[in-house]
Every structure is written in C-alpha cells, then in structure tokens.
Amino acid sequence: MAPFKSIGAVELSSIGVGYQVQDEMLKAASVRLLVARTICSGKYFIVIGGAVSDVQSSVSSALAGAGEALIDHLVIPNVHPSVFTALGQSVILAAGEAQALGVIESFSGVSIIAAADAAAKAAKVKLFRIHVAMALGGKGFCLMTGMVADVRAAVQAGANEVRNRGLLVSEVVIPRPSPELFNEYI
C-alpha cells in the first residue's frame, strides 16, 4: 500500500472535532491520509502514514486540537509493513494457505492497529484483515494466518498490547480452520 516507516492514528468522540483535527493533522506535516471516517457509536477515526517525524508532528497537532474529544491515539515509528495492506483489506490468500486462524478483538480502533503491529512483529504470520469499528459498535478486530505455533505467538503478543490498554474483548486461535472461514479472501 505504501512505503511508510510510521503510522499514526487518532480516535475521537466527536465527528465535527474529527474533521477539524484531520485538517490540522494534514496541515501540520507531510503525511498521507490512509483512513478518515465516521465509525460506530458516533466516533471519528483518522489514520495517517509517513516519515516518523512527520507522523509524530501530525499526531501531536491532533492531541493539541482534540481537547475532550480525544479517546485514544498512537504513533508506531517502525510499523510492520503488513499493517498497511491488512488495513487496506488488499491481502489475497491462496487456497489451503491457512493452517491456523488468529483473531484479536478490541473495544477500539486505535488499539487494534497496535495489536496487529505487535502480532506481525512477534511471529511469522500473514495479517489479512484489520477491521475498524464499522458495524461493530466501535470495536475493532484483526485476522491473521500461518502455522499454528506462529499464530499462537502472534495472537498472544497482539492481545497483550490491547490488554495493557484495558480494551481486550477476545483472543482466539483456531487450528485447521474450516475453509469456509476464508471464503471472502480466497
């Protein structure tokens, strides 16, 4: 999706403030807007990519302008490249590729991006979906596949990232998943 080194995300409780903060973020530094939209339960979600210093400056401007509307934020300086493709839902799985399915579910969009990055860095897995808050009541989830041991390690690392934020809903590893679980990806 992009050769960015860094990703930043901001989750806000106000749609109006979300548009204002998005404008401030884009004017603050040379970043690329990856996601900007309303999400369930009346929130606004912004994800940007770019050089580390630009993303840090952009997110800092968001924090300065968000006030009480700020729910959560993050900057990941050396984001795993697979986070971008999974967030863009542009990953294709080959038939029979999945030996295990890993799922991490959180109460926020920002925390699921942090979980996906931690999971991808922890073990050899293929992130194939990061879903943020659309038709989920504000939750987020990420899906990954690989060898069972790798998926277990990745899910544990990602879930710990969300657990430390107090936002973990579930962490699941399914060995030898039914092929039907992947119908929309194969």
Side-chain angles (χ1 to χ4, degrees):
M1 186 169 161
F4 303 125
K5 292 285 186 191
S6 183
I7 192 170
V10 179
E11 194 167 339
L12 303 149
S13 63
S14 166
I15 294 164
V17 173
Y19 277 103
Q20 180 179 350
V21 164
Q22 176 184 334
D23 182 62
E24 292 168 0
M25 291 174 75
L26 294 172
K27 290 176 180 174
S30 179
V31 293
R32 180 162 173 212
L33 186 64
L34 303 175
V35 176
R37 65 177 182 234
T38 58
I39 58 175
C40 284
S41 64
K43 299 188 287 184
Y44 200 79
F45 188 67
I46 305 162
V47 181
I48 54 158
V52 175
S53 60
D54 287 330
V55 169
Q56 289 171 333
S57 294
S58 185
V59 171
S60 291
S61 75
L63 300 180
E68 293 180 10
L70 182 68
I71 294 173
D72 200 359
H73 72 284
L74 67 71
V75 172
I76 303 174
N78 292 304
V79 67
H80 194 279
S82 66
V83 169
F84 293 108
T85 52
L87 190 59
Q89 297 183 14
S90 58
V91 177
I92 297 172
L93 296 177
E97 182 176 357
Q99 294 192 22
L101 172 64
V103 183
I104 303 170
E105 182 182 6
S106 74
F107 280 116
S108 82
V110 167
S111 66
I112 205 61
I113 292 173
D117 180 65
K121 289 175 178 173
K124 186 177 178 183
V125 294
K126 184 173 193 175
L127 290 177
F128 64 94
R129 185 169 188 188
I130 299 172
H131 188 94
V132 180
M134 295 303 295
L136 295 175
K139 291 181 183 178
F141 69 89
C142 70
L143 303 176
M144 66 200 76
T145 189
M147 303 288 285
V148 176
D150 289 328
V151 172
R152 286 190 197 286
V155 166
Q156 181 179 15
N160 284 340
E161 181 71 32
V162 180
R163 186 179 289 110
N164 291 340
R165 294 169 175 257
L167 296 170
L168 184 65
V169 176
S170 70
E171 58 184 296
V172 175
V173 175
I174 303 169
R176 296 177 315 281
S178 299
E180 292 82 4
L181 294 176
F182 301 94
N183 278 348
E184 64 187 87
Y185 298 99
I186 296 176

